[in-house]
Amino acid sequence: MVSRAYDDHKRRMAERSRAKSRDARDIGDIPPIEDPERRRLAELHFRIFCETYLPKTFCLPWSANHLKVIDKITLVVLDSASLAVAMPRGTGKTALCMAAVLWAVLLGHHRSVVFVAATKKLALDMMANVKRELETNDRLLADFPEVCYAIRRLDGETRRAKGQLHHGRRTYIEWGDEKIVLPEIPGSDASGAIIQAASLGSAIRGLNHKTPAGEQVRPTLGLGDDPQTKSSAQSPVQTQKRLEVLTADIAGLAGPGQRVGLLVPCTVVAENDLADTILDQERYPAFRGERTRMVERWPDDDEAVKHWDRYAELRIASQRSGADPTAATEYYRGNRAPMDRGFEVSWTERFDRETELSAQQHAMNLKLDLGPMFEPEYQNESPQSADGEVEALTPAELMGRVVKIERGLVPSRCERLTAFIDVQKKLLWWMVCGWAPGMGGHVVAYGAWPDQGRRYFTKRDAKRTFAARLKGEKPEAQLYHALGECVEHVVGRSYRRDDEAEMRVERCFIDSGAFTDTVFRFCRESAAGSVVMPSKGDGLGPRDIALPDRKKREGVRVGHHWQIQRPVRRSTIHCFYDTNRWKTLVAGRLRAAVGGDQAVTWHAGNQRDHQMLVDHIRAEWPERVEARGQVLEMWSQKPHQDNDLFDCLIGNAVAASTLGVPVELGEAPRPQRKRRGRTRVTV
């Protein structure tokens, strides 16, 4: 009897404890909505939502550019559009993205949202901001109690989420760092809505959520807040990978038959970076890219320019010497009317009220402090060219060189066929080109050896190398063997012209710069010795004597900024050429109208097929330099970018010239002499 009574007591106490725990975990009745009309007005108007529920975040009057972005966000959320908009630094891109996430899920526009940032840390920071608003924003609590009341009852303890109840039923709320699931409350527009954060380098393709009922829920809205870093903006590989994530991975998240709304607020960091690329409406029209800028118009009348020059002198002097830091501001105060004349800024409220008098002064201070970086950071334009720099070839210009001639086929206008092999430590780059009189050309085919099996790659991320294929051999032997295979692949075959004529490569230059001995030996011993020839390019400056002007030496043949000679202590002739002058010449051919006699084109393919070639060409830029009475374009390579295919194109053009292809129309081609004995192309 005693034992039974004790067991009954234990059972009653356990039931009381469970009931107490259940009561503590049960959030009970949800408070009523404080102002249903206020909530209704915000349902379809994103601007009203921001002004009503996030007044501390959006405390300044909107600029015209803000209103443009708000309209774009509305299209993305309500119509599942894909849009990209560039905004200056500090304009509130991240805050608008956070507000868009809240608007989309709280009012039931989207059940699953993912915001994507450049790095995991930035993604987690944005998620933390969203969670903070849901936890602490009293206005949201008042009008969205079915969400925020349940979150408040967690009291900041993530572990409480698992057991939370609403009238005895689990809410299934999740409150993690990378993913939150809003409480399942009957009648709630946001019941069970999912918000996830991810970086562009994470496994975005696998983002989904399985509900307690077993349903798979995929994201239908993506926000790519500033999806690049300064480092990734300088890397064509990272830019290409991030571009593929935005255009393919995120776009396919929703699954068959559904569209994903995608907004990409961004800032241009460097020319041809991710932001610069997706904002180009010719290349990516689906994003309907739009650039907003801090300064809409700079002052241009003489009086204003004179005053701003004096302002700059005073500001710089105070920074250098520690002089009165307010001198420049006082000068602006006294001359503000003429200095502001014609000076238009996009957001008149943006300036430091403690040290500045206007948004115009703020913009000028940033421009003086940042120099050329002001253009990308605040104007969302590629960095301005330095003094004397020549306008670089644009992606649109280069993609316009594609003609409907399949890879490997030679246009009928081309009379000679050349090749070039650029030698690197682990792989070879190659290109075959056809040439017409006047140095109009066509890229017949190009690639790397060993073949990488990918349309886009760099030397740094190449996975197949000739060094790996010949482990244990000395580097010289590895290169020698690779050259043999590559030459056989490129030179040891015939090419068909589109008029059915058969053509073969008549001259193949092999870059000998870094591996001189091995390249010379290969060319001397190769079975293709009548075709292959070592070559070396060097960028001569305006202070150097141009090759055609140098003293003529016996046994040296001089052409258009190239010369063929037999070097001392070597039995193999080689070609030396001026890369600066030839790059300028070829760049002109890349600007010539397609269809003209002097245009350079390349074989058929879509944008992604030729993106690597475009990036290699754009990896160099010219700068006009004057010295000793002559002006010359000096070409420089951008850091961390491959330019090997551009080198291949230049080498092909030089090879064509050595075969007698005239550089200008109207020149008479040089006749080719015949030699007895071993067959070899005459030089």
Side-chain angles (χ1 to χ4, degrees):
M1 292 293 293
V2 174
S3 176
R4 182 179 298 175
Y6 178 70
D7 290 341
D8 291 342
H9 173 72
K10 284 179 62 180
R11 187 173 56 258
R12 289 194 300 272
M13 294 300 294
E15 291 175 355
R16 183 182 302 174
S17 177
R18 285 193 292 269
K20 186 176 181 181
S21 173
R22 191 165 47 249
D23 291 343
R25 291 184 286 118
D26 200 311
I27 61 176
D29 292 336
I30 303 293
I33 298 172
E34 182 177 281
D35 192 334
E37 180 62 17
R38 183 171 61 191
R39 172 169 164 165
R40 187 189 65 78
L41 288 174
E43 183 175 357
L44 298 178
H45 300 281
F46 180 53
R47 176 180 175 178
I48 292 177
F49 178 85
C50 293
E51 293 172 347
T52 302
Y53 296 106
L54 301 166
K56 293 181 180 179
T57 301
F58 305 106
C59 54
L60 295 175
W62 302 108
S63 69
N65 287 336
H66 283 119
L67 298 180
K68 286 182 184 178
V69 176
I70 285 172
D71 288 343
K72 286 183 176 292
I73 290 176
T74 302
L75 281 173
V76 169
V77 173
L78 299 184
D79 297 337
S80 295
S82 293
L83 300 171
V85 59
M87 300 179 70
R89 292 288 180 201
T91 315
K93 296 187 298 297
T94 301
L96 284 167
C97 280
M98 177 199 68
V101 169
L102 292 172
W103 183 54
V105 297
L106 289 177
L107 289 155
H109 298 309
H110 288 269
R111 190 177 177 189
S112 180
V113 176
V114 56
F115 51 80
V116 183
T119 66
K120 184 175 181 179
K121 181 181 183 305
L122 292 174
L124 294 179
D125 288 345
M126 191 170 176
M127 176 66 91
N129 290 335
V130 170
K131 292 172 65 176
R132 190 173 299 111
E133 291 294 338
L134 292 172
E135 282 182 308
T136 64
N137 188 313
D138 290 337
R139 186 66 63 84
L140 288 178
L141 173 65
D143 285 359
F144 300 92
E146 72 279 14
V147 176
C148 297
Y149 179 71
I151 293 171
R152 292 273 182 115
R153 288 293 300 269
L154 295 177
D155 199 24
E157 294 287 344
T158 304
R159 57 184 176 82
R160 293 184 179 179
K162 188 174 182 180
Q164 189 181 78
L165 303 173
H166 173 240
H167 291 318
R169 296 179 56 187
R170 287 187 59 184
T171 63
Y172 294 103
I173 186 172
E174 294 184 27
W175 202 244
D177 293 333
E178 300 179 36
K179 175 182 176 181
I180 62 176
V181 180
L182 301 185
E184 291 192 6
I185 304 294
S188 169
D189 292 333
S191 181
I194 306 109
I195 303 173
Q196 298 181 78
S199 69
L200 280 177
S202 60
I204 291 178
R205 284 178 177 267
L207 288 179
N208 61 74
H209 174 76
K210 191 170 186 178
T211 68
E215 179 187 4
Q216 290 284 354
V217 181
R218 295 176 175 270
T220 55
L221 177 65
L223 295 108
D225 179 44
D226 231 355
Q228 65 180 354
T229 64
K230 285 189 176 182
S231 175
S232 73
Q234 300 294 338
S235 168
V237 177
Q238 291 193 48
T239 296
Q240 182 68 20
K241 288 180 178 178
R242 290 165 188 257
L243 184 61
E244 290 176 356
V245 170
L246 288 178
T247 57
D249 293 3
I250 295 179
L253 282 175
Q258 287 186 297
R259 289 193 304 166
V260 173
L262 177 60
L263 177 72
V264 188
C266 54
T267 299
V268 174
V269 176
E271 186 180 25
N272 210 32
D273 66 4
L274 178 61
D276 200 31
T277 300
I278 63 174
L279 290 168
D280 187 337
Q281 293 196 24
E282 292 187 6
R283 298 172 67 186
Y284 288 92
F287 278 99
R288 287 178 273 179
E290 182 172 346
R291 300 173 192 255
T292 65
R293 51 184 60 85
M294 173 177 280
V295 177
E296 300 292 351
R297 181 186 172 195
W298 294 100
D300 55 7
D301 67 77
D302 293 340
E303 184 182 8
V305 172
K306 182 178 178 181
H307 280 306
W308 281 114
D309 286 345
R310 178 56 181 160
Y311 174 87
E313 292 173 0
L314 292 171
R315 179 175 170 81
I316 293 172
S318 67
Q319 291 173 333
R320 287 177 176 172
S321 62
D324 182 7
T326 64
T329 298
E330 292 306 313
Y331 181 84
Y332 174 61
R333 191 191 304 274
N335 300 277
R336 181 172 175 179
M339 292 173 77
D340 284 356
R341 189 181 304 125
F343 196 162
E344 298 177 10
V345 293
S346 60
W347 195 10
T348 58
E349 300 296 327
R350 180 175 179 169
F351 63 95
D352 184 345
R353 284 157 176 75
E354 293 186 4
T355 61
E356 297 169 331
L357 304 178
S358 70
Q360 285 85 345
Q361 184 187 11
H362 178 67
M364 186 61 74
N365 287 345
L366 287 172
K367 183 172 177 60
L368 292 173
D369 292 344
L370 294 176
M373 289 309 299
F374 180 82
E375 292 298 318
E377 295 279 356
Y378 292 94
Q379 297 293 91
N380 281 298
E381 297 292 345
S382 299
Q384 287 184 338
S385 299
D387 292 342
E389 189 175 318
V390 183
E391 184 179 358
L393 291 159
T394 67
E397 284 179 312
L398 294 174
M399 289 308 303
R401 318 311 296 175
V402 178
V403 294
K404 292 183 178 179
I405 297 178
E406 65 184 60
R407 176 183 167 94
L409 190 66
V410 185
S412 57
R413 67 186 176 99
C414 296
E415 300 176 359
R416 313 304 288 264
L417 204 60
T418 63
F420 187 91
I421 297 175
D422 185 70
V423 179
Q424 297 297 318
K425 188 175 181 180
K426 296 183 178 180
L427 75 162
L428 308 173
W429 299 88
W430 62 269
M431 180 181 289
V432 176
C433 295
W435 298 98
M439 203 55 70
H442 178 76
V443 178
V444 176
Y446 62 90
W449 191 268
D451 181 61
Q452 299 297 303
R454 294 180 288 162
R455 286 181 290 185
Y456 197 102
F457 55 89
T458 70
K459 292 193 292 281
R460 293 179 296 279
D461 74 348
K463 293 180 171 58
R464 303 172 185 172
T465 67
F466 56 72
R469 292 173 58 181
L470 296 170
K471 289 182 179 179
E473 297 288 345
K474 291 183 178 180
E476 294 81 5
Q478 294 173 345
L479 174 58
Y480 191 98
H481 183 80
L483 284 171
E485 292 182 324
C486 188
V487 166
E488 177 62 26
H489 175 72
V490 174
V491 176
R493 52 159 293 190
S494 62
Y495 294 82
R496 185 170 58 88
R497 206 161 62 176
D498 60 5
D499 59 2
E500 301 302 326
E502 293 291 327
M503 301 183 70
R504 296 188 74 91
V505 171
E506 298 178 67
R507 177 149 296 165
C508 175
F509 277 173
I510 302 178
D511 172 38
S512 64
F515 305 91
T516 306
D517 291 338
T518 304
V519 171
F520 269 79
R521 178 183 163 219
F522 174 82
C523 291
R524 185 169 61 251
E525 300 174 356
S526 173
S530 61
V531 176
V532 295
M533 180 185 293
S535 68
K536 179 174 172 53
D538 192 15
L540 301 181
R543 297 184 181 277
D544 299 314
I545 300 174
L547 293 181
D549 298 333
R550 294 185 179 183
K551 185 178 179 179
K552 301 298 186 291
R553 291 184 294 146
E554 185 178 356
V556 176
R557 179 181 160 205
V558 179
H560 184 83
H561 296 287
W562 55 261
Q563 62 182 24
I564 291 180
Q565 61 189 16
R566 191 181 305 277
V568 179
R569 299 189 304 275
R570 296 185 190 278
S571 60
T572 305
I573 59 174
H574 83 292
C575 181
F576 176 78
Y577 57 94
D578 180 356
T579 56
N580 281 324
R581 287 176 170 86
W582 273 98
K583 285 175 181 177
T584 298
L585 185 148
V586 173
R589 300 308 195 262
L590 290 170
R591 287 194 170 96
V594 173
D597 293 328
Q598 293 187 326
V600 169
T601 59
W602 42 75
H603 65 78
N606 59 34
Q607 178 175 317
R608 295 181 69 182
D609 290 333
H610 290 302
Q611 188 64 54
M612 184 169 66
L613 175 59
V614 169
D615 286 347
H616 278 228
I617 294 174
R618 285 175 48 79
E620 295 205 23
W621 80 95
E623 185 176 355
R624 191 169 287 120
V625 177
E626 183 174 0
R628 295 178 61 177
Q630 65 172 323
V631 178
L632 182 67
E633 290 181 9
M634 301 289 289
W635 288 75
S636 302
Q637 183 179 357
K638 298 176 182 178
H640 313 301
Q641 297 195 27
D642 292 341
N643 67 340
D644 307 88
L645 291 175
F646 189 35
D647 286 343
C648 287
L649 180 57
I650 302 305
N652 268 284
V654 180
S657 180
T658 67
L659 287 174
V661 176
V663 172
E664 300 293 341
L665 292 172
E667 292 184 27
R670 274 188 311 279
Q672 295 290 297
R673 300 197 310 272
K674 294 183 178 180
R675 297 177 60 183
R676 295 181 180 179
R678 182 181 178 186
T679 303
R680 177 180 289 275
V681 176
T682 304
V683 297

